[in-house]
Amino acid sequence: MLKNRILFSLCLLIILGCPDRDWDRPGDENAPLDCSTEVTLWGVVYSIEETNALNLDHVQLNDTIPPEIGCLTNLTSLNLQATQLTGEIPSEIGNLTNLVNLSLQYNGLTGEIPPEIADLTGLTVLDLTRNSLTGAVPSGIGNLQDLERLRLNYNQFTGPIPSEIGGLNNLTELLLKYNQFTEIPPEIGNLTNLTKLDIFSNQLTGSIPPEIGNLTNLTKLDISNNQLTGSIPPEIGNLNDLTELWLQSNQLTLIPSEMGALSNLRILSLSNNQLTGSIPPEIGGLNNLAELLLDYNQLTLIPLEIGSLSNLTKLDLTSNPLTGTIPSEIGDLSNLTYLSFSGLEEGNDLTGPIPPEIWNLTNLTDLIFFNNDLTGSIPPEVENLTNLTFLTLYGNNLTGTLPQEIGNLTNLRHLSVGSNELTGSIPTEIGDLTELYRLGLGNNQFSGQVPESICDLDLNFENDYYFYIYNNQLCPPYPYCIEEYVGVQDTTNCD
């Protein structure tokens, strides 16, 4: 009896240890499926007639999808999400003509989408997100007239987005990000029920088709991080329901004035393009805008109408060849938390003093004006900005002293006022900025002695990325914590 049990256990281990063996389909692999009354899938027997849903979400199958899946012709829902499946999607999937939901996301499936997918004409959801699927999307995808959500994110699909996709009139979500698609077909403008279109990070070239302006139900449009060229089509101004528009990291050249009609827009990201000229004044009509991201372009002028964006929390114009002065109307943006007009190597070309209205923006956490030609002084009113964590005025032509009121900004973590023409003593109150991790005071004309309170700061004094005070007129003796790190000082006027 014991011997028989051992033999039975060994046989069972052998069977379970051989997942690649086709135990349910005897004979030739090309033989017709034996779909009588039952089918065994991943060690479980299913009734063909009574099984209308198969939900194995996050069950660790560690296997392939067998052709026998095609026997379950009464299935309306097949959910194999995150089951560690590998191999190809079998063509027999096309037998499941009653399917409404096919969810195969978060697996390691490879190969192409089988053309038989076109037979699943009742599908409303097709989700293949985060696999390693390749090749072109089959044109037969256009047969899936009932499809509402098509999610092909995070695969390796190539070629143009098939024009047949324009026949999916019921589609509300089309998610294609992180693939290698090369072209947006004009037929995409037929998808008038779309609310979300995401083609982020592909290899799209050419221009944005003007037909995109037909998608008047869109709330989110993301075609950023591609190689799109030309002007942003004026038809984009028809998308009145848009709340998010992401076009950054392309090669787009012009902002149309029609964009000012997008009254529901909350996020407008046009960073890292080749936008030129002035920001159109119509942008002031975007009353619900919270984030306006225009950094890394070739924009030259800030319109006064920007002060109408009363809900704005983030305004980024970093690294543009901006000219003129900072409009005082910026001071009307009382909800701002992030404001940057800074430049990198070449900088911007903003001139004149920092408008006094800026010091009333009490919600600011980041104020970044480095590498401009700003003049005037840092006023005592800087103390109003008690929420500031990041203040950099590096690389301007600021004069006067560093006001003692700077010590009231106790949330500051980064303070950089280097490379200006600041004079006078470093205020003792600098020691109150106990949250600082970076302090830049170099290349100015500070004089007198450095206050001992600087040693109250928890800075990495020996690393000039975090602390630099060189090229001033500071006098010895220096506080013990920095005496080896003061660099070159002009001590001509020291006693």
Side-chain angles (χ1 to χ4, degrees):
M1 185 69 173
L2 179 60
K3 184 176 181 181
N4 289 338
R5 287 183 180 175
I6 292 171
L7 286 172
F8 175 79
S9 299
L10 286 172
C11 290
L12 186 61
L13 285 170
I14 291 169
I15 291 171
L16 293 176
C18 300
D20 295 328
R21 175 92 175 264
D22 191 352
W23 297 100
D24 304 311
R25 196 177 182 191
D28 189 344
E29 288 185 358
N30 295 318
L33 290 176
D34 180 14
C35 299
S36 51
T37 60
E38 296 177 339
V39 64
T40 302
L41 300 170
W42 304 295
V44 178
V45 177
Y46 295 93
S47 166
I48 291 173
E49 183 174 347
E50 296 179 6
T51 306
N52 53 34
L54 187 55
N55 182 6
L56 299 177
D57 187 348
H58 283 83
V59 175
Q60 302 305 296
L61 298 177
N62 295 295
D63 205 342
T64 59
I65 304 175
E68 285 75 16
I69 196 74
C71 291
L72 295 179
T73 52
N74 288 326
L75 278 184
T76 60
S77 178
L78 177 58
N79 183 357
L80 301 177
Q81 174 182 349
T83 51
Q84 298 193 9
L85 292 170
T86 56
E88 299 186 358
I89 302 171
S91 59
E92 289 81 0
I93 206 89
N95 296 349
L96 309 182
T97 53
N98 289 302
L99 269 187
V100 175
N101 173 30
L102 178 56
S103 298
L104 303 177
Q105 65 268 36
Y106 295 95
N107 282 294
L109 297 171
T110 55
E112 300 185 1
I113 299 175
E116 290 81 3
I117 205 91
D119 297 330
L120 306 183
T121 54
L123 274 186
T124 61
V125 177
L126 175 57
D127 195 338
L128 303 177
T129 301
R130 286 191 185 271
N131 282 282
S132 298
L133 298 168
T134 56
V137 173
S139 60
I141 202 89
N143 292 350
L144 309 183
Q145 298 288 309
D146 292 335
L147 206 59
E148 297 174 4
R149 284 173 282 174
L150 177 57
R151 299 169 177 167
L152 305 179
N153 299 327
Y154 297 95
N155 280 284
Q156 299 166 31
F157 293 118
T158 55
I161 299 167
S163 58
E164 291 81 1
I165 217 160
L168 305 181
N169 296 325
N170 289 302
L171 210 58
T172 61
E173 285 187 15
L174 179 56
L175 309 183
L176 305 176
K177 66 182 177 183
Y178 287 107
N179 280 287
Q180 298 167 34
F181 290 116
T182 56
E183 186 180 342
I184 305 173
E187 289 82 0
I188 207 161
N190 297 335
L191 305 179
T192 53
N193 286 305
L194 267 190
T195 61
K196 186 181 292 187
L197 175 59
D198 192 343
I199 323 178
F200 170 78
S201 199
N202 277 270
Q203 296 176 11
L204 299 174
T205 58
S207 58
I208 300 172
E211 291 82 358
I212 215 148
N214 298 339
L215 308 182
T216 54
N217 287 301
L218 273 186
T219 60
K220 179 180 178 180
L221 174 59
D222 189 344
I223 45 179
S224 57
N225 200 23
N226 283 286
Q227 300 158 38
L228 295 167
T229 55
S231 300
I232 299 169
E235 290 81 0
I236 213 151
N238 298 333
L239 306 182
N240 295 323
D241 288 341
L242 265 190
T243 60
E244 297 180 31
L245 179 56
W246 303 87
L247 301 178
Q248 75 272 16
S249 298
N250 281 289
Q251 298 165 34
L252 302 169
T253 55
L254 185 67
I255 305 173
S257 60
E258 289 82 357
M259 195 170 279
L262 303 179
S263 57
N264 288 301
L265 205 60
R266 289 188 50 78
I267 298 175
L268 176 56
S269 179
L270 303 177
S271 308
N272 196 26
N273 277 284
Q274 297 173 14
L275 300 171
T276 58
S278 301
I279 301 166
E282 290 82 359
I283 210 115
L286 304 181
N287 297 325
N288 287 298
L289 202 63
E291 295 188 17
L292 179 56
L293 312 177
L294 300 171
D295 44 307
Y296 296 94
N297 280 289
Q298 297 297 313
L299 298 167
T300 56
L301 192 64
I302 306 169
L304 304 183
E305 290 80 0
I306 211 160
S308 301
L309 304 178
S310 57
N311 287 300
L312 207 61
T313 61
K314 185 172 185 177
L315 176 58
D316 194 345
L317 279 158
T318 299
S319 203
N320 281 277
L322 297 171
T323 57
T325 59
I326 298 173
S328 60
E329 288 78 2
I330 294 287
D332 296 332
L333 306 180
S334 58
N335 289 303
L336 271 186
T337 61
Y338 183 100
L339 178 59
S340 176
F341 293 149
S342 59
L344 292 179
E345 294 178 0
E346 295 184 4
N348 292 325
D349 295 312
L350 292 170
T351 57
I354 298 170
E357 293 82 359
I358 294 291
W359 311 114
N360 295 326
L361 299 177
T362 55
N363 287 306
L364 277 179
T365 60
D366 295 75
L367 180 58
I368 307 169
F369 285 171
F370 69 80
N371 282 359
N372 279 282
D373 293 316
L374 299 172
T375 55
S377 62
I378 304 171
E381 288 80 7
V382 70
E383 70 176 344
N384 296 337
L385 307 185
T386 55
N387 289 304
L388 272 187
T389 61
F390 198 103
L391 174 60
T392 177
L393 304 174
Y394 172 91
N396 283 283
N397 297 309
L398 298 174
T399 55
T401 63
L402 184 62
Q404 65 184 26
E405 289 83 0
I406 202 83
N408 293 331
L409 306 183
T410 54
N411 289 304
L412 267 187
R413 303 193 71 237
H414 178 120
L415 173 60
S416 177
V417 294
S419 295
N420 279 285
E421 299 171 22
L422 298 173
T423 57
S425 301
I426 296 170
T428 301
E429 290 80 3
I430 202 86
D432 296 334
L433 305 180
T434 54
E435 297 295 318
L436 274 187
Y437 76 91
R438 192 174 184 192
L439 175 61
L441 303 173
N443 293 312
N444 279 288
Q445 298 170 34
F446 288 120
S447 59
Q449 292 191 322
V450 181
E452 291 288 337
S453 61
I454 204 166
C455 294
D456 294 335
L457 304 178
D458 187 18
L459 293 175
N460 183 358
F461 291 110
E462 63 185 43
N463 187 326
D464 63 6
Y465 175 81
Y466 297 103
F467 172 76
Y468 67 99
I469 201 170
Y470 47 76
N471 289 342
N472 278 289
Q473 299 171 22
L474 296 166
C475 298
Y478 302 112
Y480 72 93
C481 60
I482 66 166
E483 59 185 345
E484 296 182 17
Y485 312 119
V486 295
V488 175
Q489 300 291 332
D490 179 358
T491 58
T492 303
N493 294 321
C494 297
D495 294 335

